[in-house]
Amino acid sequence: MNNKLKIYIIHYTKLDKRKRYIENLLSDVGVPYEFIESYDKELLDKTIIETYYEKSKEKHEKKVSLWGKKANEFSELTLPELSCSIKHIEALKKIKTENYDYSLILEDDVIPTNKNFINHIMKLINIEQPWDVLFIGEGMGKNFKNKKLGPQRFIPFKKIFKVSHPATNCLEAYIVKIQCIDEILNNLVPINLIIDWELAFQFYQKKLNIFWSKKNVFIQGSKNNIYKSELR
């Protein structure tokens, strides 16, 4: 199992309680894991910001046209948003260098929906479907997921489903296949949107196959009032 999957956790170093919880959660699952802790918001200087982020209203509006009327209006990313976005990019870079077949990226506020979550994950990644990235969290919630999946969600015994672009559903829990990591990283930086929306655009532009799991393997502690959100 160790040669097949690695877990990367996007972590803000001031949140000790979250780290201890994740460490306890993963201590005996038999899968290697690593916290992505560089680039906390307090450490983002002008050089780092300009390396990873281009504040461009023109590029922002061009990319968010993918969402049509649901597109966000242009605004400059905050330091917490930039920090989280950069850490996701750093996790993706590590996936490329470490070459595991599958890499699970988690944000540090995730909570599994059952104690056998690793077994569930292993079953999902062994399903023979042509996915490049697989989202396994609750994302924007049940109603959003049901609307996006549509009638296909009623297909008996089917556990993962291809979704149309834009295809991200928050980034608290998603699995990346090593075969697509070069394509994801190609021209990803500098970003012009917060990383969830930026990756949605990149997946669309690069014609990647994005799937969602029918059942949530993780929920978001920040969304469910277990933790306070640190993005704003």
Side-chain angles (χ1 to χ4, degrees), residues 8-20 22 34-44 79-85 87-88 106-110 222 227-232:
Y8 301 88
I9 305 99
I10 308 302
H11 176 59
Y12 177 34
T13 58
K14 291 186 180 296
L15 303 178
D16 295 336
K17 181 179 178 181
R18 295 192 190 187
K19 185 171 185 178
R20 289 196 300 272
I22 295 290
E34 177 180 350
F35 286 89
I36 308 299
E37 298 180 306
S38 298
Y39 301 103
D40 279 350
K41 61 184 181 181
E42 296 85 357
L43 303 178
L44 299 183
L79 288 177
E81 289 172 335
L82 280 169
S83 173
C84 182
S85 296
K87 290 181 183 189
H88 275 278
L106 299 175
E107 294 184 335
D108 62 6
D109 66 338
V110 294
S222 299
Y227 296 123
K228 177 185 175 182
S229 175
E230 297 291 331
L231 284 183
R232 288 283 181 179

Side-chain angles (χ1 to χ4, degrees), residues 1 10 21 28 31 66 90-91 108 113 116 118 122 127 131 183 189 196 202 214 221-222 225 229:
M1 183 182 295
I10 308 302
Y21 174 78
D28 60 355
V31 174
L66 177 61
E90 290 302 300
D108 62 6
T113 54
N116 296 318
I118 286 293
M122 298 308 295
I127 294 174
W131 60 271
E183 195 66 29
V189 176
D196 182 17
Q202 297 291 334
K214 183 175 184 178
S222 299
N225 298 317
S229 175

Side-chain angles (χ1 to χ4, degrees), residues 127-133 160 162 177 208-211:
I127 294 174
E128 294 186 2
Q129 290 287 331
W131 60 271
D132 297 309
V133 182
I160 63 173
K162 185 175 181 179
K177 279 185 180 176
L208 296 183
N209 292 320
I210 311 303
F211 280 62

Side-chain angles (χ1 to χ4, degrees), residues 28-148:
D28 60 355
V29 299
V31 174
Y33 65 89
E34 177 180 350
F35 286 89
I36 308 299
E37 298 180 306
S38 298
Y39 301 103
D40 279 350
K41 61 184 181 181
E42 296 85 357
L43 303 178
L44 299 183
D45 59 25
K46 186 173 184 289
T47 299
I48 294 172
I49 292 171
E50 290 180 350
T51 297
Y52 286 90
Y53 174 53
E54 181 183 4
K55 184 179 67 173
S56 168
K57 184 175 182 180
E58 180 182 359
K59 291 184 179 180
H60 174 280
E61 292 181 347
K62 180 179 179 180
K63 289 180 177 180
V64 300
S65 65
L66 177 61
W67 285 263
K69 294 182 179 179
K70 297 180 180 179
N72 287 339
E73 292 185 2
F74 173 77
S75 63
E76 183 175 355
L77 298 187
T78 66
L79 288 177
E81 289 172 335
L82 280 169
S83 173
C84 182
S85 296
I86 293 170
K87 290 181 183 189
H88 275 278
I89 294 168
E90 290 302 300
L92 292 167
K93 288 180 179 179
K94 281 184 173 289
I95 289 172
K96 177 179 173 64
T97 61
E98 298 192 347
N99 207 36
Y100 284 84
D101 292 340
Y102 303 93
S103 297
L104 169 60
I105 298 178
L106 299 175
E107 294 184 335
D108 62 6
D109 66 338
V110 294
I111 298 170
T113 54
N114 66 74
K115 63 181 181 180
N116 296 318
F117 64 95
I118 286 293
N119 289 337
H120 190 177
I121 289 168
M122 298 308 295
K123 289 178 181 178
L124 290 177
I125 64 179
N126 286 322
I127 294 174
E128 294 186 2
Q129 290 287 331
W131 60 271
D132 297 309
V133 182
L134 173 61
F135 286 79
I136 61 173
E138 69 174 332
M140 295 296 292
K142 183 178 179 180
N143 291 338
F144 179 80
K145 178 179 281 190
N146 286 346
K147 184 176 180 179
K148 189 74 173 181

